Amino acid sequence: MHLSSTRLATSAALLFAAAFLLILLPCSAFANQDFIQWLSKHGIHEIVERELAQDEQTPEIVLERAKLLLGSGQLKEAYTILRDAAPFADASQERARLLLFAVAARRAGSLSEAVFAWSLALGAPPNKADAENLRQEPGFPDAFEDVWRQWYWQYTRMVDRDLAFAVLTRLNASLNTGRAVWPGSPFWDAAAVALRESRDVPRLVDHQPAMGARLSDDDRKAISSFLGFAALGRLREARAALTPVSDPTVRRFFTDLADSLIAKAPRFTAAAYSQAGYPLASAFADGIAAGLGPYSPEAWQVREPRLVNWPEIRGRLAVATPESAMDIIERELDNAGLDPLTTERLRHLATAQALAAGDLERAAAYLAEVDQKRLPLPLKLHFSFSSGQHPRLLFEQNAEDSGFLELSCWLAAAAGYSALGRETLPFWSALAPDDVELESASRPLDQALLLAGFDAAFARAPSSTLARRVGYLFPLSTTGAAALVLLANEAGSAGAVEAAATYLGRLDPGKLHGPVRLDWLKAKGALEIELGLEREALATYSTLYREDRARLLPLQRLKLALLAQRMGNHGFAREILGELWSHKEALTEAEQAETLFWLAESAEAMGEDNEALHAYLRVAWGYPAQNIWAVTAMYRAALILENSGRGEAARGLLKIVIANSDRASQKEQAEQRLKQIEERSRAAARSGARNGQKRPEALF
């Protein structure tokens, strides 16, 4: 991300990286030197790169090609060859590759790869010149810190140990670079402490605010009952089980979770939490929850036991109370012939029934007899709450579990536990709007608090600098979406189509409302036009026109009408053109003539020849100074007259076209048409003379 800012860094960053190449690239490294030197002399660098691509790809060749590609703006190509090149054996060449790769990666939109490459290239500690160059990078140190934040959040909620080790390597390298380049920074001091503490998985402890919603034991018991019903797939009963939760906003949060499972998508109500004074819960709901999950109820449910008579047992359980259901399951567990998997699933089922009944002691007894890592998510959550084991200890190493783990940490925090780390505020902390930014600055690794701070800052004073940060870290949030629209509009205005597409591709259109949604439609339509997606652009601009046509200037509306005509939607084109014509006083004389001409063309395309003829003749008569429109309209009017059998009137108009047209091709067409009309007229006259023309008789 951060594409717009990095365009400004091109010269400095390239000089920084290229300085190391002057020593490394002797002329003898390249074949066909005479041709290459001749091309270089004349500044034809893209052909130089093509010539070098045909040579053996030594480190010298790769570095020179990358430099040429970057210099000519071929960012993706430079990024690709540097990324795909194996690390060079020579330390100075590898350093040069990493520095160039950092420049290419950032300009190509991969900020995280750029940060890691810089960290590896500069070493620990970097020399003074390198450190100063890094400080001069646009958007640093904020952008550098944001990448570290993102890696840290991934690492602390990651199941796969191999991936976690790779992320930890990046965290350590960039931490060392950050502390050396920005010594004394509160962020890097806090980061060092947090990373050190994160290596030991802490126990889950009570983590509730001094000011805000606090959950009692009874509240948590109701939440465990909710989890039991969710594990049974009985989601409406799960909602009802939350009635005893004392705080209405906490109760609504878990009710929203039940609704999310019913809808199979997040249904958290950020605005309600915000209005109640809980900015962290609001930030989670708005910008974090959508990236977690899954919210599929099937993924939350206990799996059915493999029993021959299971359909009959299931029928009995469906009508039994939770207490009676446990007795039914225990009788099945007494069967000595059960295989281990069936036994395990029956115990999961019994645990869920016990939680639904509010019998925590019986649930604990069942949980003691199973492998807690194999529990379905709701039962894992309850076990984590009741035992103090952090959710990180309860998940296996597979991709599905990573989404579950992160969601589990947030739900545990919402239940008043310390699952997100000591560096975070309690989830239900009550904060006044004016205090959010200040509190965020003091806790730089609190994800929800950071987003809440961004929300407040962007609402107060939106800027490109802030937009790049929130768009990078929280693209799925409402503020992130607004930020990305702002950046896309800026990129589009600067002609950076690829950057605009990247920004628009990251946001969630569902988070756009009001003026920001209209800005998005306008930016999206402009991008689709640039990419040649005319049908999609017509749909986008049509929506914008219906919702707020004032967003489009008269000339833009005229272009939209022409696009509709090209796509064959003449009805919509006439609507736009008619609306423009009804306010023709706002148009120049040339725009009036053009609007009326295209209005006539749409009418003609829809088979309304009289309407079209009238409009064409109005253009020809009313705008003689607008020669191209007036003469062309007269020619079109002549064709309509000719086709309707009024050759004499058509002949008169064509003579005017021949006399007044500035275009030889149009004059030639008119002459040919006139000749055809006159030939048909003479032939008709001869035919009439032979047959004897009669006056038509009156009917009465």
Side-chain angles (χ1 to χ4, degrees), residues 1-2 146 286 450-455 458 463-484 487 506:
M1 220 48 178
H2 300 257
D146 287 344
D286 178 56
L450 183 67
L451 175 54
F454 281 158
D455 290 341
F458 197 81
S463 68
S464 301
T465 301
L466 185 56
R468 290 187 191 96
R469 296 191 66 198
V470 67
Y472 175 74
L473 285 173
F474 302 105
L476 300 180
S477 69
T478 300
T479 300
L484 289 165
L487 294 172
R506 283 178 63 86

Side-chain angles (χ1 to χ4, degrees), residues 181-196:
V181 174
W182 295 281
S185 162
F187 175 84
W188 294 112
D189 291 342
V193 172
L195 185 59
R196 184 171 60 249

Side-chain angles (χ1 to χ4, degrees), residues 347 351 359-370:
R347 285 184 175 140
T351 305
D359 192 340
L360 302 186
E361 288 186 12
R362 210 163 173 182
Y366 293 133
L367 287 169
E369 296 180 330
V370 298

Side-chain angles (χ1 to χ4, degrees), residues 125-334:
N127 62 50
K128 289 184 178 179
D130 289 348
E132 184 56 33
N133 281 324
L134 201 59
R135 290 188 200 104
Q136 297 307 312
E137 270 292 304
F140 281 12
D142 287 341
F144 201 96
E145 293 170 2
D146 287 344
V147 171
W148 200 93
R149 283 184 174 96
Q150 194 172 65
W151 288 339
Y152 175 75
W153 295 331
Q154 290 172 355
Y155 172 71
T156 55
R157 298 155 206 173
M158 189 173 279
V159 173
D160 190 306
R161 300 294 177 262
D162 293 332
L163 286 176
F165 180 78
V167 175
L168 181 60
T169 300
R170 293 185 167 217
L171 284 166
N172 281 320
S174 52
L175 175 64
N176 291 334
T177 301
R179 297 185 79 178
V181 174
W182 295 281
S185 162
F187 175 84
W188 294 112
D189 291 342
V193 172
L195 185 59
R196 184 171 60 249
E197 292 181 348
S198 70
R199 294 172 189 174
D200 296 321
V201 180
R203 285 189 61 76
L204 211 61
V205 296
D206 195 58
H207 189 55
Q208 303 209 62
M211 295 291 293
R214 296 180 62 86
L215 283 82
S216 65
D217 290 344
D218 287 341
D219 292 334
R220 286 171 172 165
K221 184 177 180 180
I223 292 170
S224 287
S225 182
F226 159 82
L227 293 172
F229 279 117
L232 295 170
R234 292 153 60 178
L235 296 176
R236 303 204 180 279
E237 290 170 272
R239 291 176 98 262
L242 294 166
T243 303
V245 175
S246 55
D247 186 274
T249 309
V250 176
R251 183 168 62 251
R252 177 164 190 166
F253 178 89
F254 284 98
T255 301
D256 288 346
L257 174 58
D259 292 341
S260 300
L261 297 177
I262 293 169
K264 300 186 179 182
R267 289 292 182 268
F268 297 100
T269 48
Y273 314 149
S274 178
Q275 289 168 6
Y278 300 120
L280 304 187
S282 178
F284 164 79
D286 178 56
I288 299 171
L292 309 180
Y295 294 95
S296 162
E298 294 80 16
W300 283 55
Q301 288 178 28
V302 172
R303 294 188 179 182
E304 293 184 345
R306 297 187 301 187
L307 291 169
V308 174
N309 61 336
W310 174 246
E312 182 265 328
I313 297 172
R314 183 174 54 199
R316 288 160 56 203
L317 292 174
V319 297
T321 64
E323 293 82 357
S324 299
M326 283 184 281
D327 294 335
I328 293 170
I329 295 168
E330 285 187 354
R331 283 196 292 273
E332 293 299 321
L333 283 168
D334 289 338

Side-chain angles (χ1 to χ4, degrees), residues 21 247 314 330 405 422 428 439 464 494 534 552 567 575-576 619 645 691:
L21 298 177
D247 186 274
R314 183 174 54 199
E330 285 187 354
L405 170 57
R422 291 192 297 179
W428 293 109
E439 193 68 47
S464 301
E534 291 194 335
L552 297 171
M567 296 291 103
E575 179 187 342
I576 299 169
V619 176
N691 299 327

